[in-house]
C-alpha cells in the first residue's frame, strides 16, 4: 500500500479499516457524459433579423417581445440581441449588405444596428411586418432577414467564439447547459479520486464473496458518507431539508448565469436557476480539503473523513433456484444497499419493532447475508438525520440497471461510481447502445442484440434530481464477468 493510500486509510472509520484488504488497487475516474453532451452539442434553428437606427432599437425589441411572448423571449439567452454591422460574420455581412439600403448601413459612420428578433417559428411573419412598419425610422425600407442560430448555449468560450464567426454573436455565460459544469466535475473528481480505490476494492471483495457463497452474481455495492470540513451539511439543517422537500432538487450543479453580463446586450436574460445543493458550498475550493480553526494555528487541522454506511453483494439467487437469467430483482446489490441504509435510519429513530410476517419467500433480500455485510449493518448510521441517501456516495462493480438507476435517483444519492459498463441493460451511461454488444450469437435468438440510445439517468433535465457519476477504469483488478444481458 502506498504512503498516500495509507494516509487515506487513516481517515476511515474503524469499521472500514476492519474490512478493507491489505492490498488496494488503483484506478482512474472517467466522468460520465450526459445525453445532451453526446447528441445536442450543436442544434440549429432559424431566426428573424432586422436592422434599424440605434435610437429605435428599444421600440423594435418591444414589438418582438410582444409577438413572441415571455416564454419565447427567454429561449435564446446566449445570443446577443443587437450587433453592429462590423461584428456580423463575413458571409452574413456580404448577404445583408446587398439587400435594400445595406451599403449605407455598413458605412464606417453608420449608427445602425442589426437586431435579433427571435425564432422564426414563434413570430408570425405578417404581424411582424406590421409591427416594424409602425417604427418611423425603418418604415420606408423594412429589412427582414432569416439566419441560422444555435439553439443551445455554448459550453466554453472557444465554442462561443466559433459560433460568433459562423452564425451570430454568442455569449458564454460560464455554465454548461448540457450537463454539470467542467469546474464542478474537476473539483469533485479530485475529492472522490483520493479514496475511490478503497471503496471499489471493497465492492469487488463483497461481490466475490456473494458469488462464492451462491447468493448471486459477482456484483457488489458500497455506500459511504463523506464529511468535508466547513462544507454545508444539509442533513443537519431542518430548515434546509424542509425547503428541499418542496422543490425540484439537483445534486452537484454549479450552473449559474454570469451576473456581470449586461442584460441589454443579450437576446434575453435567463432567470437565475434555483440554488442546488453544491451551489451552497463555499466558493473557495481549498476549504473543502482542510481548514484550520483559530488564527494562531494552535489547534489541529480538520481533515476530511469518510464512513461506510452500507455494504451489499448481489443476492438474486438466494432462496430460489437458478431458473432463467433474471433471478430476484429485489436482490440486486444496489437495492439491497439502499434498503440497508433505510433500515439503519429507522433503527436510529428507536421505533418499536413489529413482528415480521411469516412468509415462505422473502422477496426483499435486504438483510445481511455475509459476515462483512452484518458488520456494516450493525454499525450506527454516521448521520441519521437526512433523507435516505442524500449526500451519500455509491460505489458499484457494475453499471446499475434501469430499475436500480431510478431507485438510486429516488433515494437522492449524491454521487455514483461504477467499474463495468453494461451496454445492453445499464441505465447510467449515455452512449448509444451498439449492436451485437454481447458477441454471443447463441444467446441472442432474434439476431444481434443492442441498438438504441443510452439513457444517461444520472443527469437528465426531465428528472427532478441529478448527480455526478464516474466510470472507474483499472487494469490491475480481476474483471468480474457476468452475462452481458444481465440486469445489474
Amino acid at each position: 500500500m502506498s504512503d498516500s493510500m495509507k494516509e487515506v486509510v487513516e481517515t476511515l472509520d474503524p469499521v472500514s479499516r476492519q474490512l478493507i484488504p491489505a492490498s488496494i488497487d488503483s484506478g482512474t475516474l472517467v466522468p460520465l457524459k450526459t445525453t445532451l453532451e453526446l447528441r445536442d452539442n450543436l442544434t440549429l434553428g432559424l431566426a428573424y433579423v432586422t436592422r434599424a437606427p440605434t435610437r429605435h432599437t428599444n421600440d423594435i425589441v418591444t414589438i418582438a417581445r410582444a409577438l413572441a411572448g415571455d416564454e419565447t423571449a427567454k429561449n435564446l439567452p446566449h445570443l446577443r440581441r443587437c450587433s453592429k454591422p462590423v461584428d456580423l460574420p463575413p458571409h452574413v455581412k456580404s448577404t445583408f449588405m446587398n439587400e435594400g439600403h445595406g451599403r449605407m448601413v455598413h458605412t464606417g459612420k453608420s449608427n445602425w444596428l442589426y437586431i435579433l428578433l427571435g425564432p422564426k417559428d414563434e413570430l408570425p411573419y405578417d404581424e411582424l411586418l406590421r409591427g416594424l412598419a409602425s417604427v418611423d425610422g425603418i418604415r420606408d425600407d423594412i429589412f427582414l432577414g432569416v439566419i441560422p442560430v444555435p439553439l443551445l448555449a455554448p459550453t466554453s468560450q472557444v465554442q462561443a467564439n466559433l459560433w460568433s464567426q459562423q452564425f451570430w454573436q454568442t455569449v458564454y455565460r460560464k455554465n454548461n447547459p448540457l450537463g454539470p459544469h467542467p469546474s464542478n466535475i474537476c473539483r469533485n473528481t479530485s475529492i472522490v479520486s483520493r479514496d475511490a480505490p478503497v471503496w471499489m476494492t471493497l465492492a469487488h471483495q463483497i461481490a466475490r464473496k456473494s458469488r462464492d457463497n451462491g447468493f448471486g452474481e459477482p456484483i457488489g455495492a458500497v455506500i459511504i458518507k463523506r464529511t468535508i470540513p466547513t462544507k454545508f451539511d444539509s442533513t443537519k439543517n431542518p430548515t434546509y431539508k424542509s425547503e428541499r422537500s418542496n422543490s425540484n432538487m439537483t445534486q452537484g450543479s454549479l450552473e449559474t448565469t454570469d451576473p456581470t453580463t449586461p442584460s441589454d446586450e443579450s437576446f434575453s436574460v435567463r432567470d437565475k436557476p434555483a440554488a442546488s445543493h453544491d451551489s451552497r458550498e463555499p466558493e473557495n475550493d481549498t476549504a473543502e480539503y482542510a481548514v484550520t480553526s483559530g488564527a494562531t494555528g494552535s489547534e489541529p487541522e480538520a481533515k476530511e473523513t469518510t464512513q461506510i454506511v452500507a455494504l451489499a453483494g448481489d443476492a438474486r439467487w438466494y432462496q430460489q433456484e437458478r431458473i432463467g437469467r433474471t433471478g430476484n430483482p429485489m436482490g440486486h446489490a444496489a437495492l439491497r444497499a439502499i434498503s440497508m441504509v433505510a433500515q439503519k435510519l429507522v433503527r436510529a429513530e428507536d421505533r418499536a419493532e413489529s413482528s415480521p410476517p411469516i412468509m415462505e419467500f422473502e422477496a426483499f433480500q435486504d438483510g445481511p447475508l455475509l459476515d462483512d455485510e452484518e458488520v456494516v449493518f450493525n454499525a450506527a448510521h454516521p448521520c441519521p438525520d437526512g433523507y435516505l441517501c442524500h449526500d451519500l456516495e455509491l460505489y458499484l462493480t457494475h453499471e446499475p440497471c434501469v430499475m436500480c438507476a431510478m431507485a438510486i435517483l429516488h433515494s437522492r444519492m449524491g454521487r455514483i461510481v461504477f467499474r463495468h459498463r453494461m451496454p445492453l441493460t445499464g441505465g447510467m451511461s449515455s452512449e448509444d447502445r451498439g449492436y451485437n454488444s454481447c458477441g454471443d450469437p447463441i444467446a441472442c435468438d432474434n439476431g444481434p442484440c443492442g441498438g438504441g440510445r443510452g439513457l444517461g439517468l444520472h443527469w437528465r433535465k426531465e428528472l427532478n434530481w441529478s448527480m455526478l457519476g464516474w466510470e472507474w477504469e483499472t487494469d490491475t483488478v480481476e474483471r468480474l464477468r457476468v452475462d452481458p444481458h444481465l440486469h445489474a
Side-chain angles (χ1 to χ4, degrees):
M1 188 182 301
S2 64
D3 292 339
S4 59
M5 191 55 61
K6 289 180 180 179
E7 293 179 1
V8 171
V9 172
E10 290 178 358
T11 65
L12 304 181
D13 60 293
V15 175
S16 299
R17 290 200 295 269
Q18 175 185 342
L19 297 176
I20 60 175
S23 176
I24 298 177
D25 299 289
S26 60
T28 302
L29 292 176
V30 180
L32 298 181
K33 293 289 187 180
T34 68
T35 55
L36 290 177
E37 287 176 324
L38 293 176
R39 294 173 200 136
D40 295 329
N41 194 25
L42 176 58
T43 303
L44 297 179
L46 298 178
Y48 282 125
V49 176
T50 190
R51 58 193 178 201
T54 305
R55 63 181 182 276
H56 297 298
T57 300
N58 288 335
D59 297 335
I60 294 176
V61 170
T62 301
I63 293 171
R65 284 179 173 170
L67 292 176
D70 294 337
E71 292 300 321
T72 303
K74 298 177 182 179
N75 284 346
L76 302 174
H78 54 285
L79 300 178
R80 296 287 189 188
R81 169 68 80 171
C82 302
S83 177
K84 296 179 181 179
V86 69
D87 293 328
L88 293 178
H91 63 283
V92 176
K93 184 188 304 182
S94 62
T95 301
F96 289 173
M97 185 183 299
N98 295 321
E99 296 187 17
H101 298 156
R103 295 194 176 276
M104 178 190 68
V105 172
H106 286 262
T107 58
K109 297 181 180 180
S110 171
N111 63 347
W112 284 59
L113 293 175
Y114 281 92
I115 306 164
L116 187 66
L117 300 174
K120 180 182 178 182
D121 296 339
E122 304 291 340
L123 295 172
Y125 180 79
D126 294 336
E127 294 184 27
L128 186 58
L129 280 180
R130 285 196 296 270
L132 295 177
S134 65
V135 181
D136 294 336
I138 61 173
R139 181 179 297 125
D140 298 333
D141 182 30
I142 298 178
F143 169 80
L144 195 59
V146 178
I147 62 170
V149 294
L151 298 180
L152 297 175
T155 58
S156 67
Q157 187 60 54
V158 174
Q159 192 174 57
N161 294 339
L162 180 62
W163 289 357
S164 297
Q165 297 172 8
Q166 293 177 327
F167 308 108
W168 184 265
Q169 280 195 298
T170 308
V171 180
Y172 173 56
R173 297 188 179 278
K174 299 181 180 179
N175 65 355
N176 179 13
L178 310 180
H181 195 280
S183 64
N184 191 20
I185 295 175
C186 182
R187 178 171 53 84
N188 281 274
T189 301
S190 177
I191 294 173
V192 174
S193 62
R194 292 198 292 273
D195 55 10
V198 174
W199 311 119
M200 292 304 296
T201 300
L202 195 55
H204 282 69
Q205 178 176 274
I206 197 67
R208 296 188 191 96
K209 290 184 178 180
S210 181
R211 175 195 59 192
D212 296 343
N213 282 272
F215 294 153
E217 299 292 331
I219 302 171
V222 178
I223 296 179
I224 70 164
K225 166 67 176 177
R226 186 183 305 275
T227 303
I228 302 175
T230 75
K231 179 179 180 293
F232 177 81
D233 193 345
S234 58
T235 61
K236 297 181 180 180
N237 189 321
T239 303
Y240 178 80
K241 289 190 293 181
S242 175
E243 292 175 356
R244 297 283 290 179
S245 64
N246 297 321
S247 63
N248 285 350
M249 295 178 284
T250 301
Q251 175 78 8
S253 173
L254 284 179
E255 298 176 15
T256 56
T257 54
D258 184 2
T260 61
T261 305
S263 59
D264 58 347
E265 292 185 1
S266 61
F267 178 80
S268 176
V269 178
R270 186 193 301 269
D271 294 338
K272 188 174 181 180
S276 65
H277 170 78
D278 277 10
S279 64
R280 293 173 180 260
E281 298 175 12
E283 294 183 2
N284 185 3
D285 292 348
T286 58
E288 295 190 345
Y289 299 93
V291 61
T292 56
S293 53
T296 60
S298 57
E299 297 185 16
E301 183 183 85
K303 294 182 179 180
E304 173 187 312
T305 60
T306 51
Q307 295 171 278
I308 189 168
V309 184
L311 177 67
D314 185 81
R316 69 185 67 204
W317 304 118
Y318 183 67
Q319 291 185 336
Q320 69 173 22
E321 298 179 5
R322 294 180 67 100
I323 301 175
R325 291 190 304 208
T326 58
N328 178 13
M330 303 310 298
H332 291 193
L335 294 187
R336 295 189 66 225
I338 293 173
S339 183
M340 290 178 183
V341 174
Q343 292 181 72
K344 295 177 79 167
L345 290 174
V346 172
R347 190 172 64 201
E349 296 178 359
D350 293 328
R351 295 185 188 178
E353 295 186 4
S354 58
S355 300
I358 300 176
M359 305 175 68
E360 292 184 5
F361 174 73
E362 175 58 57
F364 297 93
Q365 298 293 346
D366 50 8
L369 301 177
L370 298 167
D371 292 341
D372 289 354
E373 293 179 351
E374 188 169 7
V375 170
V376 178
F377 184 77
N378 291 335
H381 194 295
C383 186
D385 299 327
Y387 173 81
L388 198 46
C389 294
H390 187 244
D391 253 359
L392 304 184
E393 299 174 13
L394 173 62
Y395 294 81
L396 289 163
T397 56
H398 296 72
E399 179 184 2
C401 65
V402 177
M403 176 188 70
C404 291
M406 288 307 300
I408 292 167
L409 288 173
H410 284 306
S411 72
R412 300 299 188 249
M413 194 72 67
R415 302 181 179 107
I416 182 172
V417 180
F418 63 84
R419 180 190 178 190
H420 298 292
R421 187 171 290 198
M422 302 293 289
L424 298 180
T425 61
M428 290 296 180
S429 299
S430 303
E431 285 76 9
D432 292 346
R433 305 177 188 272
Y435 286 97
N436 199 23
S437 299
C438 67
D440 188 355
I442 299 178
C444 303
D445 299 331
N446 298 323
C449 59
R453 291 184 168 183
L455 299 178
L457 294 176
H458 71 288
W459 194 286
R460 296 202 56 137
K461 288 186 174 181
E462 303 94 326
L463 303 176
N464 69 347
W465 186 260
S466 57
M467 58 185 170
L468 296 179
W470 294 265
E471 182 180 1
W472 192 66
E473 294 184 348
T474 180
D475 295 328
T476 60
V477 184
E478 172 196 0
R479 292 186 63 84
L480 301 177
R481 300 188 181 279
V482 296
D483 188 328
H485 301 87
L486 188 80
H487 292 261

